[in-house]
């Protein structure tokens, strides 16, 4: 055999029933986006007996086509007809984005899907958050921060719709920071922005290089540095707000992560004043939008986006986030999925829990950096309650 690879165009010419498409990146990466018709499959399963594959070619892909190539070489040594997709999922994304450029009206279909098919689940929840949390005000100039993933790209399209129809006058800047993406990932971001008619402003930073050698919490440091760079660039461009694409599921996962790993009750706020950049605010307009609806919008429109493209996840040696180095957020996602099997309301209950905090039943809490303990008012509260009870009894007599 020894024909180890096939191209994206060669894959497109195969009859759908003539091959099996195996995605070996891991279920988490698969959930963020995959090639239509593919099945998530750990590498070891490729070597197991699969009678249903008889007479079919096995096509294997990973993130960039390196890990899958090694697997295919071992498969062929065992006499299994298999080929690796050249360029992997990243190569397929670039090819797919290039094909969409041929359709000049593609973006109009995407916008129509937000007005019609996803109006209730996405558009209405987006506008509800904007109203309920007062995220957009007259005269705002908002930097819509685009990372290249599904959430931020959707947020950009929603803001375009809001500006088109909203009575409040505000301006938008679609800001893309390149913290050290590979050329392939930057190409996908640029092509998606072009296909969706999002006029992006790109600026460079060296954040990935700075945090690559950090052993402890590199993702936390990277996120903090990204935010600082975004604030700084947005302010330079005359903006007073930056918008990030965190959604409902991010909020409930953050609540649980704080409790389970941080020993504290806190939430991801819908908006925040910057403590380092005077006059700047951070807003989260996808606060009430569910992640599964964002995925449905992505898949309905045939869109493909990058996931996390840092040096820790952009190479095939580390592109499986389901292994021993799985993040705490992935663990919490799985925990919520398991709890939902027996309690369908668990997600909304977690979300509402930080809206219904009863301070009289909390041992201690912090306000403006000062810790307060229930013993501070324990005796005084009892005396007040006793006096009120006595007064109520006297009034009844």
């Amino acid at each position: 055999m020894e024909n180890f690879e096939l191209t994206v165009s060669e894959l497109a010419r195969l009859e759908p029933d003539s091959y099996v498409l195996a995605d070996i990146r891991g279920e988490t990466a698969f959930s963020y986006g995959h090639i239509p018709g593919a099945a998530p499959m750990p590498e070891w399963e490729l070597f197991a007996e699969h009678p249903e594959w008889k007479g079919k070619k096995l096509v294997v892909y990973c993130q960039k086509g390196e890990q899958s190539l090694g697997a295919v070489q071992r498969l062929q040594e065992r006499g299994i007809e298999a080929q690796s997709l050249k360029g992997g999922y990243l190569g397929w994304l670039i090819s797919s984005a290039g094909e969409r450029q041929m359709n000049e009206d593609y973006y109009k279909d995407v916008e129509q899907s937000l007005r019609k098919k996803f109006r209730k689940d996405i558009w209405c929840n987006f506008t509800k958050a904007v109203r309920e949390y007062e995220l957009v005000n007259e005269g705002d100039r908002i930097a819509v921060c685009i990372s290249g993933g599904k959430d931020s790209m959707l947020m950009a399209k929603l803001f375009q719709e809001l500006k088109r129809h909203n009575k409040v006058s505000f301006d938008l800047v679609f800001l893309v920071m390149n913290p050290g993406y590979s050329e392939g990932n930057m190409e996908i971001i640029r092509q998606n922005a072009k296909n969706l008619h999002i006029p992006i402003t790109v600026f460079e930073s060296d954040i990935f290089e700075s945090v690559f050698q950090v052993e402890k919490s590199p993702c936390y440091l990277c996120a903090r540095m990204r935010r600082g760079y975004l604030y700084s660039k947005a302010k330079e461009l005359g903006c007073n707000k930056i918008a990030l694409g965190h959604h409902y599921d991010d909020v409930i996962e953050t609540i649980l992560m704080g409790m389970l790993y941080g020993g504290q009750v806190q939430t991801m706020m819908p908006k925040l004043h910057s403590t380092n950049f005077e006059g700047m605010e951070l807003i989260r307009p996808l606060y009430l939008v569910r992640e599964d609806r964002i995925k449905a919008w992505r898949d309905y429109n045939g869109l493909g986006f990058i996931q996390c493209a840092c040096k820790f996840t952009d190479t095939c040696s580390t592109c499986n986030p389901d292994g021993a180095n799985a993040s705490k957020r992935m663990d919490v996602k799985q925990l919520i999925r398991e709890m939902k099997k027996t309690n369908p309301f668990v997600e909304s209950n977690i979300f509402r829990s930080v809206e219904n905090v009863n301070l009289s039943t909390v041992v201690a809490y912090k306000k403006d950096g000062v810790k307060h303990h229930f013993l501070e008012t324990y005796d005084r509260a009892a005396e007040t309650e006793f006096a009120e009870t006595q007064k109520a009894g006297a009034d009844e007599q």
Side-chain angles (χ1 to χ4, degrees), residues 202-259:
V202 181
F203 73 102
E204 309 289 327
S205 73
D206 60 354
I207 292 176
F208 285 172
E209 197 64 40
S210 300
V211 303
F212 186 55
Q213 302 299 329
V214 177
E215 294 184 4
K216 188 176 181 180
S217 303
C219 293
Y220 173 78
L221 178 60
C222 179
R224 290 293 300 271
M225 290 180 69
R226 283 197 200 198
R227 189 171 299 182
Y229 272 94
L230 290 169
Y231 268 129
S232 179
K233 187 64 177 181
K235 190 165 187 177
E236 176 189 319
L237 294 174
C239 299
N240 65 313
K241 292 179 180 178
I242 64 170
L244 302 185
H246 297 119
H247 48 67
Y248 184 99
D249 296 73
D250 290 325
V251 176
I252 62 176
E253 289 157 14
T254 298
I255 294 170
L256 276 191
M257 287 174 66
M259 295 173 65

Side-chain angles (χ1 to χ4, degrees), residues 23-41:
D23 184 325
I24 62 171
R25 296 174 301 151
E27 290 190 8
T28 302
F30 184 87
S31 70
Y32 275 92
H34 56 270
I35 301 175
M41 194 173 300

Side-chain angles (χ1 to χ4, degrees), residues 16 18 31 34 47 50 130 151 163 240 257 273 292 320 326 370 387:
S18 67
S31 70
H34 56 270
F47 298 86
H50 294 279
V130 169
D151 309 323
K163 184 170 175 60
N240 65 313
M257 287 174 66
H273 286 291
D292 62 349
N320 181 1
V370 178

Side-chain angles (χ1 to χ4, degrees), residues 79-343:
I80 300 173
E81 184 182 4
Q83 286 185 293
S84 170
L85 183 63
K86 191 171 183 178
Y89 181 65
L90 186 61
W92 178 82
L93 279 179
I94 294 173
S95 175
S96 299
E99 290 176 5
R100 285 191 289 273
Q101 286 187 9
M102 303 298 290
N103 182 0
E104 295 182 359
D105 292 331
Y106 175 76
Y107 76 100
K108 295 180 182 178
D109 296 332
V110 175
E111 292 171 356
Q112 183 74 357
S113 73
L114 290 174
R115 300 185 198 111
K116 300 292 184 180
K117 184 174 179 61
F118 297 99
R119 179 176 181 81
K120 179 180 178 181
D121 295 335
I122 293 181
W123 172 250
C124 289
N125 281 329
F126 168 77
T127 54
K128 180 180 178 181
V130 169
R131 291 192 310 272
E132 188 168 317
Y133 303 118
E134 300 178 357
L135 302 182
V136 178
N137 302 110
E138 185 77 30
D140 278 346
R141 184 171 171 83
I142 303 169
V144 181
C145 301
I146 298 174
S147 66
K150 65 186 190 312
D151 309 323
S152 59
M153 283 291 190
L154 170 62
M155 178 176 64
K157 292 307 297 179
L158 289 168
F159 263 117
Q160 286 181 325
E161 285 293 300
L162 187 68
K163 184 170 175 60
R164 196 173 291 130
H165 303 293
N166 201 41
K167 296 178 182 179
V168 175
S169 176
F170 64 94
D171 291 324
L172 296 170
V173 174
F174 299 99
L175 194 58
V176 175
M177 178 178 64
N178 179 6
Y181 290 146
S182 66
E183 289 185 12
N185 279 312
M186 274 308 301
E187 177 64 16
I188 292 168
I189 293 173
R190 291 182 187 277
Q191 286 190 7
N192 277 330
K194 183 177 181 180
N195 292 338
L196 294 172
H197 275 223
I198 301 171
I200 58 175
T201 298
V202 181
F203 73 102
E204 309 289 327
S205 73
D206 60 354
I207 292 176
F208 285 172
E209 197 64 40
S210 300
V211 303
F212 186 55
Q213 302 299 329
V214 177
E215 294 184 4
K216 188 176 181 180
S217 303
C219 293
Y220 173 78
L221 178 60
C222 179
R224 290 293 300 271
M225 290 180 69
R226 283 197 200 198
R227 189 171 299 182
Y229 272 94
L230 290 169
Y231 268 129
S232 179
K233 187 64 177 181
K235 190 165 187 177
E236 176 189 319
L237 294 174
C239 299
N240 65 313
K241 292 179 180 178
I242 64 170
L244 302 185
H246 297 119
H247 48 67
Y248 184 99
D249 296 73
D250 290 325
V251 176
I252 62 176
E253 289 157 14
T254 298
I255 294 170
L256 276 191
M257 287 174 66
M259 295 173 65
L260 300 178
Y261 299 109
Q264 57 188 339
V265 177
Q266 63 177 15
T267 189
M268 180 181 282
M269 298 296 287
K271 65 179 181 179
L272 291 167
H273 286 291
S274 171
T275 55
N276 297 314
F277 295 85
E278 187 178 359
M280 296 291 293
E281 279 186 273
L282 179 155
I283 61 174
R284 296 184 169 105
L286 298 185
Y287 203 78
L288 302 178
V289 179
R290 297 304 308 267
E291 185 178 26
D292 62 349
R293 303 317 297 155
I294 299 175
K295 290 179 179 178
W297 168 81
R298 174 200 64 193
D299 296 342
Y300 177 81
N301 290 291
L303 290 162
F305 302 110
I306 65 172
Q307 185 189 345
C308 175
C310 73
K311 290 178 179 290
F312 296 97
T313 58
D314 193 32
T315 61
C316 284
S317 61
T318 57
C319 70
N320 181 1
D322 297 311
N325 294 323
S327 71
K328 293 181 177 67
R329 189 169 290 275
M330 293 301 108
D331 293 339
V332 168
K333 278 181 179 288
Q334 181 60 34
L335 175 61
I336 293 173
R337 279 197 294 267
E338 289 299 316
M339 291 191 294
K340 191 176 178 180
K341 291 177 181 178
T342 55
N343 180 3

